[in-house]
Amino acid sequence: MDFLSYTMTTTEEYMTQEDSWDRDLLLDPAWEKQQRKTFTAWCNSHLRKAGTQIENIEEDFRNGLKLMLLLEVISGERLPKPDKGKMRFHKIANVNKALDFISSKGVKLVSIGAEEIVDGNVKMTLGMIWTIILRFAIQDISVEETSAKEGLLLWCQRKTAPYRNVNVQNFHISWKDGLALCALIHRHRPDLIDYSKLRKDDPIGNLNTAFEVAEKYLDIPKMLDADDIVNTPKPDEKAIMTYVSCFYHAFAGAEQAETAANRICKVLAVNQENEKLMEEYEKLASENRVAEQTMHAMQQKLEDFRDYRRVHKPPKVQEKCQLEINFNTLQTKLRLSNRPAFMPSEGKMVSDIANAWKGLEQVEKGYEEWLLTEIRRLERLDHLAEKFKQKSTLHESWTTGKEELLSQKDYESASLMEIRALMRKHEAFESDLAAHQDRVEQIAAIAQELNELDYYDAATINARCQGICDQWDNLGTLTQKRRESLERVEKLWETIDQLYLEFAKRAAPFNNWMDGAMEDLQDMFIVHSIEEIQSLITAHDQFKATLPEADKERMAIMGIHNEILKIAQTYGIKVVGENPYTVLSPQDISNKWEAVKQLVPMRDQTLQEEVARQQSNERLRRQFGAQANIIGPWIQTKMEEISHVSIDIAGSLEEQMSNLKTYEQNIINYKSNIDKLEGDHQLSQEGLIFDNKHTNYTMEHVRVGWEQLLTTIARTINEVENQILTRDAKGISQEQLNEFRASFNHFDRKRNGMMDPDDFRACLISMGYDLGEVEFARIMTLVDPNNTGVVTFQAFIDFMTRETAETDTAEQVMASFKILASDKMYITVEELRRELPPEQAEYCISRMTKYIGGDAPPGALDYISFSSALYGESDL
């Protein structure tokens, strides 16, 4: 709401116009000061009749007692008995009684409450006193069918109309020079002021003269300060009206007499005007004094008069002279002839003609003087009229567009910086407006002088002057309204700017928090255990617990934005552009908040899915760990058992072979457990399970152990097989083998089926070998041809059998094949397969070359070349 009306009567349009008070803005300090002093003095002028007064207008009426007393004095009526208590509710009750009394007099009070008067609200108190002044001092003023302000203004204009330099058009700037107040006093009491000695350029002196005379002789207290009025561009209208109304009431008795005199004057005016017209007609008819309206016309009259004197009058002078000569001659002749003297008819005597001629000459002189005076007057009028037009044209040129400019509402869509620029521009305009005040006063003074000099086109001058004055008053009103609007909008924009800044300060960290939250909610996580995912869930739950507080912050931030919109909507401000302190908009905050809210359940679902996955992984871990913890030790145990079997000298080689075969079959039968573990491992791999706290065994460990177990059992079986072959081929007894095993085991310090070179050397020495370095080196090339740095039991047996048993030769092998071939020089595939084990038979078939000889069947094989090749010998 831009403006609140303090008071409004149901019948007086004026009071509706006058009682506009802005509740949102403070009074202009200068106007407030003037109103305080004027209203205080006005109240005291009535309260002194009851033997009291007030010092501070907003404080002394707070308890309602002096307010009720004031109303009783000015109305002459009794109000309800006041409450005597000093509590706040007593004061409110007394003020309400006063306000109810004002309302009973036809005044509608709007927005003035007893609480505000009791609280000493200066703006409300001044508004209430102005309401009382309007109702009891101004409303009843009536002049020629006009009332209140218009009636008071018309009364002032009527009373000051005859006075020079006085042109009352309003209740502010028209009173600044003090001449209007002095004119009012002089009009009713000319004995109190010598108006002719007053000067327009001494406004303070004029005002103080009027104040002092009114206080001393008219019992009107001093309500205004001369310096305040002069130094204020536009004095407070309410203060001026209050003071001037006192003059109206002071001269009320004289007004009644003047009204009666006016009635008589109206009756006599008609007759006087008729007589004046008749006299003027006779005067103009006899003297031909018809005033012309232009210099050219009057100069033509003067030229005609001079032409009359040069051309028309001389013959008449001659005729007059001839008439006198003729009259004298006739009389002489009649006397000489004793005739009676000639007596002309009445009015035609020579003396009558002389007297008429003398009167004509006097009229000529007066006419000529009148012509010259009239020409000077018209010359002065032309000069003043031209000066009036020139100043008016300059003024109207300056004011062109000013009203439209002041009526603009450009501030409604302006920013704070633009509002401040508009305010500076308006202040410059106010200074310019004040500077043009003298020109307006000069225009009004020229118009008044033209009226006093009876300018023929005074109506046009007056109309133009009135238009200028009205426009000037309107400019003053529009200027004040624009200043008030700019100040109001500036304050509102300052509030909006603070809200913008607060929005930016709170939106930035909140937006960063939401960015971080969205980043966390969308963060890809990798966990490998229930504990890790549970830690994430706990952190997520803690985050969700902060959401209500975050929502409060969001609502507070949006509340700031809504407050800006509310201010803009309430006061009609167009908020254009973005927040100058941030690029973030309320929509950005809302959109991001919605995104956060949508991500929260998605994060919940993702975490729960991960919990399920980790629970599944944990089951796989436990399942794999349980099996691995069984299989790993089993493999290790079997490895140890096989190792013990390989070095155990108890029993024959065939018994060892039997035991090893049994172990091998047990190991092969255990393969299903390995396969199941592989299946669990595959599931773990698919579930990206890379660690398992439930076991120290990995699938790789199990695979390596299993492969080592298979390799070890196979190698051990092979070693025993080789030992059997060696024993059978070399004719070594079981006791010798046991002796070899015992010696090997004794020097196999690591019990791993292998001896270091030093241990092997010690073993040979213990068995009676006398070894030099060269000989030992040769033996090492035999037992460790690949230079592995170790000697296996098999290599040890091979070496010992070569040393203790007879060695087979190529001839012995050939002889054996010859036995199988029934003394033939060749052997067939069928014979090999029949006599040899399948593996050895196929081995020989694949390596024997085709026998070349005529007596051999197809497919016969050469066993002689094959035997020589086995021992690296050429064909025998």
Side-chain angles (χ1 to χ4, degrees), residues 50-65:
T52 187
Q53 65 177 5
I54 62 172
E55 296 294 336
N56 188 312
I57 196 166
E58 70 266 26
E59 291 293 330
D60 293 347
F61 285 139
R62 290 181 62 181
N63 60 10
L65 297 177

Side-chain angles (χ1 to χ4, degrees), residues 528-531 614-633 677 684 689-698:
H528 302 96
S529 67
I530 291 290
E531 292 75 12
Q614 288 301 324
Q615 289 174 343
S616 175
N617 290 349
E618 183 65 14
R619 286 193 296 272
L620 286 174
R621 285 191 185 94
R622 292 179 181 277
Q623 183 174 328
F624 180 89
Q627 294 186 66
N629 289 335
I630 295 173
I631 293 174
L677 190 64
S684 297
I689 302 173
F690 302 110
D691 59 346
N692 193 337
K693 67 180 181 179
H694 302 292
T695 181
N696 293 324
Y697 295 99
T698 65

Side-chain angles (χ1 to χ4, degrees), residues 526-635:
I526 299 177
V527 296
H528 302 96
S529 67
I530 291 290
E531 292 75 12
E532 291 180 3
I533 189 61
Q534 193 60 48
S535 176
L536 290 179
I537 292 175
T538 300
H540 185 61
D541 290 340
Q542 292 173 352
F543 167 76
K544 289 194 293 185
T546 65
L547 289 178
E549 192 65 28
D551 193 35
K552 289 181 181 178
E553 178 65 12
R554 179 192 66 84
M555 293 176 65
I557 293 171
M558 298 306 294
I560 295 172
H561 174 67
N562 294 334
E563 183 66 18
I564 293 173
L565 296 181
K566 181 180 179 181
I567 292 174
Q569 182 178 5
T570 301
Y571 297 98
I573 296 177
K574 298 178 181 177
V575 179
V576 296
E578 303 294 336
N579 188 324
Y581 300 107
T582 180
V583 296
L584 292 173
S585 68
Q587 190 62 44
D588 294 335
I589 299 296
S590 297
N591 292 342
K592 196 163 290 186
W593 177 253
E594 290 301 321
V596 170
K597 291 199 298 183
Q598 291 176 4
L599 288 172
V600 169
M602 294 173 61
R603 183 71 168 185
D604 285 331
Q605 181 179 355
T606 302
L607 291 173
Q608 291 304 318
E609 291 174 353
E610 185 61 27
V611 167
R613 192 175 75 86
Q614 288 301 324
Q615 289 174 343
S616 175
N617 290 349
E618 183 65 14
R619 286 193 296 272
L620 286 174
R621 285 191 185 94
R622 292 179 181 277
Q623 183 174 328
F624 180 89
Q627 294 186 66
N629 289 335
I630 295 173
I631 293 174
W634 184 87
I635 292 175

Side-chain angles (χ1 to χ4, degrees), residues 105-106 110 170 172 250 275 345 403 423 567 593 664 690 696:
K105 295 303 179 182
V110 179
N170 50 54
H172 38 82
E275 291 176 2
S345 58
E403 291 173 298
M423 179 61 78
I567 292 174
W593 177 253
E664 183 181 33
F690 302 110
N696 293 324

Side-chain angles (χ1 to χ4, degrees), residues 99-164:
L99 296 179
D100 292 340
F101 178 80
I102 296 173
S103 299
S104 70
K105 295 303 179 182
V107 179
K108 184 178 181 181
L109 297 173
V110 179
S111 298
I112 295 182
E115 292 83 359
E116 294 172 304
I117 304 302
V118 172
D119 292 337
N121 187 313
V122 62
K123 183 169 58 175
M124 297 297 140
T125 304
L126 292 175
M128 178 189 67
I129 298 303
W130 174 240
T131 301
I132 295 172
I133 293 172
L134 281 175
R135 174 60 185 84
F136 297 99
I138 297 177
Q139 180 179 336
D140 295 332
I141 295 175
S142 176
V143 178
E144 293 188 8
E145 299 181 356
T146 62
S147 61
K149 178 181 177 181
E150 289 78 12
L152 184 60
L153 183 63
L154 179 60
W155 179 78
C156 295
Q157 290 172 336
R158 291 284 180 83
K159 296 303 179 182
T160 60
Y163 291 84
R164 60 181 173 81

Side-chain angles (χ1 to χ4, degrees), residues 773-784:
E773 292 298 331
V774 175
E775 178 63 17
F776 181 70
R778 182 188 70 80
I779 295 173
M780 283 301 297
T781 60
L782 296 176
V783 297
D784 186 17

